[in-house]
Amino acid sequence: MNLSLALPPAPTVIHRADYQPPAWLVPEVTLTFNLGVEQTRVVAALKVRRNGQSQTLRLNGDGIAAEAVLVDGQPTNDWRMDGADLLVELPGESHEVSITTAISPVANTQLMGLYASNGMLCTQCEAEGFRRITFFPDRPDVLSVYTVHMQGSKDLFPVLLSNGNCTQQGEGPGAGMHNATWHDPWPKPSYLFALVAGDLVANQDTFTTMSGRKVDLGIWVREGDQDRTHHAMQALKDSMKWDEETFGREYDLDLFNIVAVSDFNMGAMENKGLNVFNTRYILADAETATDLDYDGIEGVVAHEYFHNWSGNRITCRDWFQLSLKEGFTVLRDQLFSQDMGSAAVKRIEDVRVLRAAQFPEDSGPLAHPIRPDSYQEISNFYTATVYNKGAEVIRMMRTLVGPERFRAGTDLYFDRHDGEAATCEDFVKAIEDGAGIDLGQFRLWYSQAGTPRVTARLDHADGVATLTLAQSIPPTPGQGEKQPMVIPLRIALFDPASGTHQGEQLIVLDRAEMQFAFPGFARRPVLSLGRGFSAPVAIDAEISDEDLVFLAAHDDDPFARYEALQQLIVKHLLAVLDGALTDAALEAGRGAIAAAFAAVVGDRALDDLMRGELMILPGEGYLADQLLVADPGAIRKAREGLKAYLGRSLEAGLLALHDRASAVPYALSAEARGARKVKTQALALLAAGVPQRAADLAAAQFDAADNMTDRQGALMVLAGLETPLRQEKLAAFLARHAGDPLVIDKWFSLQAGSLHPQALDHVKALAGHPDFTMTNPNRVRALYMAAAVNPGVFHVASGEGYRMIGELVRALDPINPQTAARFIAPLGRWRRIEPLRAALMKAELERIVAQPGLSKDTFEQASKSLG
Ligand code: B3K
Ligand code: ZN
């Protein structure tokens, strides 16, 4: 027997170095859609032009078949299939190729290509979904002008939308049918194509651009949801204005539409002139959305809008360049949100996300540079590394040259590459030329994976403070040896007596080890390093608890202040986990943290938003990352132990804080949002220390709540406690919000993410709840992603959590491989987990890889996680 027959085919690996320009270009395309939920027929007419020697036009396909192929209007048999691709032999320089395909939107559970969601039809094409609609050179460096004709039932699809401008609408072709034509004058790659047909209503508004052009804005939702679109509309108008003022970017069409859909694989999609959004990033009102939801909406609306320039006007040459648009656009949305609200809090939140999502990626089996060198399935590279570390890398360029010169660099970039499919190298070169800086060595940030580790020591003698810095970059898959990187570090040296410093400086660590001398210090100063988180590195500074306490109270850089308190806690918890602390040392450590917390709780100069931030303890994942091999059970115990101590010893102060904050009426102001934030943080600490008291207080907050932030915060605390109030309030929440999917998602998440000792059993039971479904990604994530990142569920010692996620992946993979593959990373952490659990995690990955017919998405992630 030939064993190789039983094995799946070896995966195709795509390499960045193999890039070849397209053999044929498609300057124009006309698509005709005959719409139906069960079946949609598509005729694609491509004007093609030779771009090299080859006579073979390769059109990518995925799961589709050609019903007819015409060349220059004549039916032809001169085509063949090569795997999923369709090849046509063309003798001349220019031809028109027309292909008919039939697809079934309702059967499309992957949610890539054209699919049905609640009776409406919509598309998702990035990265390679267009080839599920029609045969096409589905690569981002083929730019075409699109004209789209649609026809369908007036009843089922009263609204017909596509990219660009609507140029014609009419009745027919049959009874009860209507049709529309859309034309997008801007050449674009196929991944930016979009079509929506459904029963939708719009919140409409206008925006006048800086050159005085009026743009019609529409946010399309299902009837009844219009009232929840105002925040998104405001965010859109704010984004349009901000991009004009901050980056000089003006919108370039007369129409900008957004459609919200409830079945969506990610947050949103920047299709030219027709953004498609997950409902969770559009719909908000006080009754159903938390303050964090409001922030998420503002950030994502801005992000997709900003893509109009960083992504659409200048797109990517190939998918290895993804960070060109994503890293830059994340930076742009971060800067926007900093300007719209509290810059300090936004920076801390962004760093928390980076540390929670990107640092583990960078130190695990799926580590890759922000510009990857190879992939099997590009969907797996929409990662925290490409997005968030990508943003940090561009932020460092900005830090190095300052905002004005950075703007000169981005102006040059937009100018030089407008209308092109560009590379990361093009971006760096434009910043180099426009801002006037040599980024030669800096480019290593694009090619080297792994989070650099910087050690720091400050010596003081003869009035001179000497800072010794050293950097090392850990090995990552395929990259054993690393070169020293360019690491900009913002630094201040505090005089401990006056609590002030002489001004912040920017130093650049660009060798393996360097010393920096600072004369003029009669006393040993206190070192504040990496202010504003000026580089995406892990800093290991030799710094005393006393200095950390000083910085936690005095640092005038809000991030550095937050960081000092975090470091104090991390050091303490690592010592607890080490098991070598004497009782006296344990008491002293806790006491110092409690004193610092008491100062935070009582500091009148602090605003509540920042206070709430400072009250968040380092996460379990971040703590695990500090250890070579972690015991998740021990980490939970140590962290909850500290919370309990803080809750008990600060009870009076926390109750007073909760009381004061509860008197602030609901508003979207920073003050009122801050009040809600500290309320929930206070409850979380009290829940660990004085659970009965906290349960009563949370129940009272729940009952009194006139907004989702308070209600959800209270329910989160109750969900983790063993109290009859838990079930009572969970049931009340479900009844109150029945029929509102986004809120029901919260109900699932709260239970799956809770600190309750039986949380795993709750998740198992919820999987059988009538509101649970495997076909809606939001619901799947609400239950299972919350569980996978909850160590109390995922890491139960029996391995049942791993088994549950493994089973989920195997069941979900045939339905929605993109979403299934996202659940591999938690299992892939096995090398950094204690051996008993590690073996169980690995066994789950092996079971997944052995599943016959596994998708490319899941296979790539699981096999790399084992390798
Ligand atoms: N560009 C899209 C992401 C597409 C993901 C495809 N798997 C959203 C964004 O980053 O703006
Ligand atoms: Zn993006």
Side-chain angles (χ1 to χ4, degrees):
M1 182 183 145
N2 184 348
L3 267 184
S4 67
L5 285 178
L7 295 172
T12 311
V13 180
I14 321 278
H15 295 275
R16 182 166 61 87
D18 292 346
Y19 174 81
Q20 295 289 335
W24 288 80
L25 301 176
V26 187
E28 276 178 58
V29 52
T30 303
L31 301 171
T32 305
F33 287 85
N34 202 336
L35 298 167
V37 171
E38 300 290 331
Q39 193 189 62
T40 289
R41 183 159 271 111
V42 187
V43 181
L46 281 53
K47 291 209 166 121
V48 301
R49 195 174 70 225
R50 192 202 302 276
N51 190 41
Q53 298 311 308
S54 175
Q55 296 201 331
T56 310
L57 170 68
R58 174 175 290 273
L59 301 173
N60 305 116
D62 177 8
I64 52 173
E67 290 187 344
V69 178
L70 274 66
V71 172
D72 299 325
Q74 301 303 311
T76 177
N77 288 323
D78 204 8
W79 59 276
R80 63 186 194 277
M81 296 301 290
D82 177 26
D85 294 349
L86 190 154
L87 310 185
V88 195
E89 293 304 319
L90 297 173
E93 291 298 306
S94 297
H95 294 277
E96 181 168 314
V97 176
S98 169
I99 300 181
T100 305
T101 51
I103 48 184
S104 175
V106 73
N108 184 352
T109 58
Q110 291 188 29
L111 314 184
M112 282 296 278
L114 178 71
Y115 64 92
S117 171
N118 287 322
M120 71 186 255
L121 297 178
C122 66
T123 54
Q124 170 55 38
C125 292
E126 187 176 1
E128 297 180 338
F130 192 73
R131 62 184 67 184
R132 293 167 55 77
I133 298 173
T134 189
F135 290 97
F136 199 80
D138 193 13
R139 44 186 289 169
D141 57 352
V142 172
L143 309 184
S144 321
V145 171
Y146 281 67
T147 303
V148 179
H149 304 294
M150 285 175 260
Q151 56 188 54
S153 152
K154 261 199 280 192
D155 266 2
L156 297 176
F157 315 118
V159 174
L160 302 172
L161 304 172
S162 190
N163 315 86
N165 302 309
C166 184
T167 53
Q168 173 271 321
Q169 291 185 66
E171 298 286 314
M177 303 272 287
H178 68 157
N179 63 79
T181 304
W182 287 75
H183 178 76
D184 179 2
W186 297 102
K188 64 171 177 288
S190 50
Y191 82 86
L192 289 173
F193 163 76
L195 171 153
V196 172
D199 192 358
L200 297 160
V201 290
N203 170 7
Q204 280 170 330
D205 208 330
T206 61
F207 176 81
T208 305
T209 71
M210 58 186 182
S211 69
R213 271 190 315 102
K214 195 176 113 215
V215 181
D216 288 321
L217 312 175
I219 299 186
W220 297 84
V221 294
R222 287 197 300 176
E223 178 68 50
D225 282 338
Q226 300 99 302
D227 288 348
R228 296 203 279 166
T229 59
H230 299 295
H231 180 64
M233 183 60 88
Q234 190 57 47
L236 175 59
K237 291 190 285 181
D238 289 344
S239 311
M240 295 178 89
K241 187 155 183 340
W242 185 91
D243 212 16
E244 292 182 347
E245 289 168 355
T246 315
F247 280 93
R249 301 297 105 201
E250 184 178 10
Y251 187 62
D252 55 6
L253 286 166
D254 301 330
L255 191 56
F256 188 83
N257 279 320
I258 290 179
V259 179
V261 302
S262 35
D263 300 288
F264 206 64
N265 277 340
M266 63 262 169
M269 178 63 213
E270 70 264 25
N271 316 300
K272 184 83 188 188
L274 179 56
N275 287 190
V276 177
F277 270 63
N278 190 320
T279 43
R280 75 171 284 200
Y281 290 110
I282 290 294
L283 303 180
D285 60 15
E287 167 68 8
T288 58
T290 63
D291 295 334
L292 275 183
D293 294 330
Y294 273 78
D295 287 345
I297 289 167
E298 185 178 75
V300 178
V301 167
H303 179 98
E304 305 311 331
Y305 173 72
F306 296 156
H307 268 316
N308 189 56
W309 274 94
S310 49
N312 301 1
R313 285 289 285 257
I314 305 179
T315 190
C316 300
R317 185 193 73 172
D318 54 70
W319 291 120
F320 296 103
Q321 318 299 329
L322 185 57
S323 204
L324 173 76
K325 73 177 177 82
E326 295 304 347
F328 186 30
T329 305
V330 170
L331 175 67
R332 279 151 55 69
D333 85 55
Q334 290 179 348
L335 295 174
F336 166 76
S337 294
Q338 282 185 208
D339 284 352
M340 292 295 119
S342 160
V345 169
K346 174 64 179 157
R347 185 65 187 134
I348 294 170
E349 284 170 354
D350 288 340
V351 174
R352 204 177 22 240
V353 169
L354 187 83
R355 285 174 168 170
Q358 199 278 325
F359 277 24
E361 196 165 87
D362 235 355
S363 65
L366 302 174
H368 52 276
I370 64 167
R371 182 188 54 203
D373 291 316
S374 68
Y375 62 77
Q376 295 171 27
E377 168 53 61
I378 186 57
S379 296
N380 288 329
F381 285 80
Y382 288 75
T383 58
T385 297
V386 166
Y387 275 63
N388 304 62
K389 187 177 180 179
E392 292 296 329
V393 168
I394 301 176
R395 188 188 283 260
M396 282 191 288
M397 298 182 195
R398 185 171 179 267
T399 301
L400 285 166
V401 297
E404 285 85 26
R405 283 166 60 196
F406 181 71
R407 169 71 194 269
T410 60
D411 280 353
L412 182 62
Y413 169 69
F414 286 123
D415 219 39
R416 199 183 258 178
H417 297 289
D418 187 11
E420 290 178 14
T423 62
C424 294
E425 173 54 30
D426 292 333
F427 182 84
V428 178
K429 189 79 181 70
I431 300 296
E432 246 179 354
D433 295 349
I437 182 180
D438 177 355
L439 293 170
Q441 185 190 351
F442 187 89
R443 283 172 170 76
L444 287 169
W445 282 104
Y446 281 88
S447 56
Q448 291 192 158
T451 306
R453 187 156 281 279
V454 174
T455 57
R457 195 186 67 243
L458 188 73
D459 297 303
H460 179 250
D462 306 324
V464 179
T466 306
L467 177 63
T468 306
L469 297 175
Q471 60 164 304
S472 64
I473 304 120
T476 46
Q479 294 188 339
E481 295 293 311
K482 311 274 167 107
Q483 305 297 311
M485 321 266 277
V486 177
I487 300 175
L489 292 165
R490 287 168 48 197
I491 169 181
L493 295 167
F494 279 84
D495 173 21
S498 66
T500 59
H501 60 82
Q502 301 286 312
E504 185 182 277
Q505 302 185 37
L506 179 69
I507 58 175
V508 179
L509 171 64
D510 57 8
R511 278 175 272 148
E513 190 171 325
M514 287 173 89
Q515 284 200 330
F516 299 85
F518 302 94
F521 286 94
R523 276 183 299 267
R524 189 184 179 286
V526 178
L527 171 66
S528 168
L529 183 67
R531 294 156 67 84
F533 194 76
S534 55
V537 301
I539 298 182
D540 245 332
E542 284 179 30
I543 185 160
S544 66
D545 285 2
E546 195 190 345
D547 282 0
L548 289 174
V549 169
F550 171 88
L551 293 171
H554 293 103
D555 206 315
D556 57 338
D557 177 73
F559 172 76
R561 183 173 181 184
Y562 160 85
E563 182 65 354
L565 191 48
Q566 294 282 302
Q567 285 306 311
L568 189 69
I569 300 169
V570 169
K571 272 177 76 177
H572 171 75
L573 289 176
L574 293 182
V576 171
L577 287 165
D578 203 31
L581 274 189
T582 61
D583 285 353
L586 176 67
E587 266 317 299
R590 287 171 157 186
I593 294 167
F597 258 69
V600 164
V601 170
D603 185 343
R604 285 172 170 275
L606 267 181
D607 63 79
D608 276 341
L609 273 177
M610 183 68 187
R611 190 188 325 279
E613 211 54 56
L614 291 169
M615 289 170 70
I616 302 174
L617 267 66
E620 290 167 272
Y622 183 65
L623 290 164
D625 269 354
Q626 313 304 309
L627 299 161
L628 233 42
V629 174
D631 176 346
I635 291 177
R636 158 105 6 140
K637 191 158 162 260
R639 187 172 181 275
E640 288 307 304
L642 177 62
K643 277 171 66 187
Y645 177 87
L646 294 173
R648 277 194 306 272
S649 55
L650 303 178
E651 182 180 354
L654 293 170
L655 288 172
L657 177 63
H658 190 276
D659 204 40
R660 170 179 66 75
S662 300
V664 180
Y666 183 83
L668 283 175
S669 65
E671 189 209 353
R673 294 169 52 124
R676 292 192 285 278
K677 186 165 169 180
V678 295
K679 251 193 279 184
T680 295
Q681 292 310 326
L683 276 184
L685 292 176
L686 289 165
V690 285
Q692 194 47 57
R693 184 84 190 79
D696 292 339
L697 198 56
Q701 175 173 318
F702 183 92
D703 291 340
D706 62 357
N707 64 84
M708 181 52 75
T709 306
D710 282 348
R711 191 175 303 125
Q712 176 182 283
L715 193 58
M716 176 195 78
V717 167
L718 286 168
L721 292 173
E722 292 177 279
T723 158
L725 291 167
R726 175 180 186 280
Q727 206 38 54
E728 181 189 320
K729 302 305 176 198
L730 278 169
F733 187 94
L734 184 62
R736 179 179 185 125
H737 298 289
D740 186 335
L742 293 175
V743 186
I744 302 306
D745 288 340
K746 296 181 191 302
W747 185 80
F748 277 92
S749 271
L750 285 175
Q751 297 174 72
S754 91
L755 291 166
H756 196 283
Q758 261 86 55
L760 173 65
D761 296 332
H762 300 152
V763 176
K764 286 188 192 161
L766 287 168
H769 192 277
D771 285 334
F772 183 74
T773 165
M774 288 281 264
T775 53
N776 177 267
N778 283 4
R779 190 57 49 84
V780 170
R781 282 188 289 258
L783 181 61
Y784 286 110
M785 199 47 95
V789 301
N790 181 355
V793 172
F794 186 61
H795 286 298
V796 290
S798 65
E800 279 177 276
Y802 312 140
R803 172 53 59 89
M804 184 178 75
I805 295 301
E807 280 171 0
L808 165 75
V809 170
R810 286 178 284 139
L812 187 58
D813 188 64
I815 301 171
N816 185 333
Q818 228 178 78
T819 303
R822 296 257 159 187
F823 286 88
I824 300 293
L827 289 167
R829 301 290 297 157
W830 61 274
R831 280 188 195 76
R832 301 283 302 273
I833 302 291
E834 58 83 16
L836 289 176
R837 287 182 171 90
L840 296 165
M841 294 167 83
K842 194 167 170 239
E844 265 334 304
L845 287 169
E846 282 160 352
R847 224 169 259 130
I848 291 169
V849 171
Q851 166 144 308
L854 202 63
S855 68
K856 264 203 298 183
D857 310 55
T858 300
F859 178 80
E860 176 173 35
Q861 299 303 76
S863 58
K864 285 182 174 172
S865 297
L866 280 167

